[in-house]
Amino acid sequence: MSTNTHLAATLAALLGPQGWLSGADANAYSRDWLDRYGATPLGVARPASTEQVAAVVAACHAAGVPVTPQGGNTGLCGGAVLEQPGGVILSLSRMTKIARPDPAAASIEVEAGVVLAALHETLAEDGLIFPMHLGAEGSAQIGGLIATNAGGSHALRYGMMQDLVLGLEVVLPDGQIWNGLRAVQKDNAGYQLRRLFCGAEGTLGVVTRAVLKLYPAPRIRATALLALPDVPSLLAFGKRLRADAGEFISGLEFFCDLGLDMALRHVHGLTYPLTERAPWYLLVEMTAGSPLVPLDALFEATLTAGLETGEVLDGVLAVNETQRAALWRLREEQPEGQRLEGPQLKHDVSVPPGLLDRFIAQACELCEHMLPGVRVNPFGHLGDGNTHFNLSPPLNAPGFGDLAPELGREIGALASALGGSFAAEHGLGRAKVSLADALRATPERALMAAIKQAIDPAQLMNPGAVLHTPGTNFAND
Ligand code: FAD
């Protein structure tokens, strides 16, 4: 019996028919969300407990077989699928337990396979929220969100995933379990290990459980969609809002008319609520814990100033939950609209927020120079300076030819030159490893390789994600 056949038999016996999928049953797990990456796995392990995760990882370690953790498989950089055939995909989808929230500590313990939207629903009755929101929340899992250090639309107020994790339990690459499930904010007992696993993209171990930070549920909201003439106006009005009501802003999301057009044409059930279309749009949400805060009045005063200065052309304030949800859908369906339009190139960059106008102007010019007629669709998180600078090919052109890598390098290099990042919130996965090697200084990449080597000397945890595996020379992007 070959080592791999023996390993498959061991894992099948350990996990049972629900817990070990092979052959055609594994197909649904083997390609990434954008269908760009993936190789045939030996099988998909679906353990139901931390002990089973540890047993799977230990068996793979003993057999020298790579393991790639997989959550909801909504990651946009190809990190949750295999680079080479024959490895094991370890899906956390059966680990979905949610403990009762602890109101005094404002925390909750969950298993890694809990889907984000399910956590939101569970908390709805408790007067508490877990304030992470993103378009993929119906599928993305807590483990995946931690492993990618996800950001989303509320990061401006509540931080990224690393700011929302108090404690972690992780199965290490040799199968040992590290239990760091401490529900405390203050824990300076040496290196901040939990932060190391936030953003490690499954290359240092498998996150199995987490203690997450909760916040009081807002009791009032003001949500508005505004139409604006240009990017400098977006920045000016964003600055004005932050000065007037910064502590209440929970979302400050922008998109452009091209993106709106694609979403309206392709996504069912969207409606545009203003009479005239505009070049740019800003979705503003302000929330407060007390109904005594005059949110609507605060917002309207700032809006009036924005209209008077010409920063804002028009706007609508949601008057009920249905309208609020409809406004948010216009923003959340931006990725789906562009996906349904056809081929696209995604770039997830950040720059210091005050330089967003300069970045967008220079990047548009650069793209037009490289591929005349290219359709640029920047949208994202205004307050974080985080743009999804996504491209669709010129009208009637089938795609980007062989320009994709060069466009990615140039856009990433421009963001870096402005003091930002070529990988703002989606991580590196397999898609941006070469870009990271090119754009980050050698000591930074060497430090990462040293951490990887120290924790996973056999290089079996998700090889090829975040860092090239030593001795290989894959052209990932
Ligand atoms: P997966 O895709 O399954 O995995 C992602 C990475 O994490 C892989 O490297 C995988 O190996 C690793 N991993 C998964 N689970 C574990 C685990 N338990 N332990 C260790 N490693 C693990 N991202 C944002 O940050 N902000 C957004 O606003 C946003 N919007 C999105 C909108 C859409 C429509 C889509 C499709 C994606 C969006 N994303 C966004 C990207 C994506 O949703 C996030 O990266 C999310 O965190 C991935 O979670 P997942 O469970 O799907 O992880």
Side-chain angles (χ1 to χ4, degrees):
M1 206 190 260
S2 77
T3 314
N4 281 3
T5 317
H6 184 257
L7 176 65
T10 305
L11 295 179
L14 174 77
L15 300 169
Q18 268 201 61
W20 178 249
L21 309 177
S22 55
D25 292 340
N27 286 350
Y29 298 78
S30 57
R31 300 286 300 170
D32 75 311
W33 192 78
L34 293 169
D35 198 19
R36 289 189 303 168
Y37 296 91
T40 308
L42 177 67
V44 177
R46 300 174 68 238
S49 65
T50 300
E51 290 66 32
Q52 282 195 349
V53 174
V56 170
V57 172
C60 292
H61 185 257
V65 170
V67 176
T68 290
Q70 188 177 97
N73 199 12
T74 68
L76 297 172
C77 298
V81 292
L82 301 181
E83 186 150 301
Q84 296 283 297
V88 167
I89 289 179
L90 194 157
S91 164
L92 280 297
S93 54
R94 287 172 75 210
M95 293 187 54
T96 56
K97 289 196 198 84
I98 304 179
R100 292 290 314 143
D102 176 346
S107 69
I108 190 164
E109 187 179 311
V110 300
E111 287 188 330
V114 168
V115 168
L116 179 56
L119 179 58
H120 292 152
E121 274 167 38
T122 303
L123 289 169
E125 301 297 308
D126 292 296
L128 292 163
I129 55 162
F130 180 63
M132 167 69 53
H133 285 278
L134 39 77
E137 64 191 40
S139 305
Q141 299 176 2
I142 297 303
L145 294 158
I146 292 170
T148 56
N149 190 23
S153 52
H154 290 47
L156 168 67
R157 175 143 162 198
Y158 298 102
M160 296 179 75
M161 207 59 194
Q162 64 184 359
D163 305 302
L164 298 170
V165 171
L166 292 173
L168 273 189
E169 178 186 77
V170 179
V171 170
L172 299 171
D174 61 359
Q176 285 187 78
I177 299 171
W178 170 52
N179 184 331
L181 287 168
R182 288 176 281 268
V184 288
Q185 170 89 0
K186 293 188 172 174
D187 176 20
N188 277 351
Y191 301 136
Q192 297 297 300
L193 293 180
R194 69 179 196 278
R195 293 230 168 193
L196 192 55
F197 292 96
C198 296
E201 300 186 59
T203 60
L204 302 179
V206 185
V207 174
T208 46
R209 278 191 293 169
V211 179
L212 304 175
K213 220 189 239 188
L214 301 177
Y215 284 83
R219 284 197 273 168
I220 51 166
R221 281 193 165 89
T223 307
L225 182 74
L226 309 180
L228 299 97
D230 47 35
V231 183
S233 298
L234 273 174
L235 289 194
F237 188 72
K239 194 171 156 202
R240 183 186 294 283
L241 255 181
R242 291 179 80 163
D244 289 356
E247 65 272 43
F248 300 114
I249 300 173
S250 54
L252 206 51
E253 300 282 300
F254 73 97
F255 52 97
C256 69
D257 199 49
L258 175 69
L260 177 71
D261 178 61
M262 291 195 273
L264 291 174
R265 276 193 288 113
H266 297 301
V267 183
H268 181 67
L270 299 184
T271 34
Y272 178 66
L274 299 170
T275 38
E276 305 263 332
R277 296 276 283 271
W280 293 90
Y281 305 97
L282 184 65
L283 184 103
V284 180
E285 185 155 280
M286 309 205 308
T287 58
S290 165
L292 301 177
V293 177
L295 269 194
D296 282 358
L298 253 177
F299 179 70
E300 275 162 23
T302 312
L303 178 58
T304 304
L307 288 163
E308 278 168 11
T309 55
E311 290 158 8
V312 179
L313 303 171
D314 196 3
V316 59
L317 190 63
V319 296
N320 56 38
E321 187 52 34
T322 311
Q323 285 185 10
R324 173 180 171 261
L327 294 186
W328 267 105
R329 273 200 78 205
L330 290 174
R331 160 62 185 92
E332 298 286 17
E333 298 292 1
Q334 292 292 312
E336 189 61 2
Q338 193 160 17
R339 186 177 77 84
L340 293 170
E341 175 79 3
Q344 61 166 321
L345 291 179
K346 285 178 172 289
H347 308 103
D348 166 39
V349 304
S350 64
V351 292
L355 298 184
L356 196 62
D357 52 347
R358 203 191 311 171
F359 171 79
I360 290 180
Q362 289 184 8
C364 285
E365 202 177 307
L366 184 92
C367 291
E368 178 61 25
H369 176 71
M370 289 175 70
L371 183 60
V374 66
R375 288 173 295 155
V376 182
N377 180 25
F379 62 90
H381 317 291
L382 185 72
D384 308 316
N386 175 192
T387 310
H388 303 302
F389 195 82
N390 296 351
L391 309 179
S392 291
L395 279 175
N396 304 321
F400 298 91
D402 51 10
L403 280 175
E406 203 183 329
L407 281 162
R409 263 196 311 275
E410 292 295 329
I411 291 166
L414 177 60
S416 299
L418 291 175
S421 172
F422 58 90
E425 62 173 5
H426 297 159
L428 299 180
R430 301 181 198 294
K432 295 184 186 164
V433 178
S434 299
L435 204 53
D437 288 344
L439 295 179
R440 284 285 155 102
T442 306
E444 188 170 325
R445 296 298 282 157
L447 204 49
M448 289 190 195
I451 291 168
K452 169 76 175 170
Q453 182 63 26
I455 295 177
D456 181 22
Q459 304 279 332
L460 292 174
M461 283 305 307
N462 207 5
V466 178
L467 293 153
H468 288 301
T469 308
T472 61
N473 191 18
F474 298 120
N476 286 313
D477 23 351

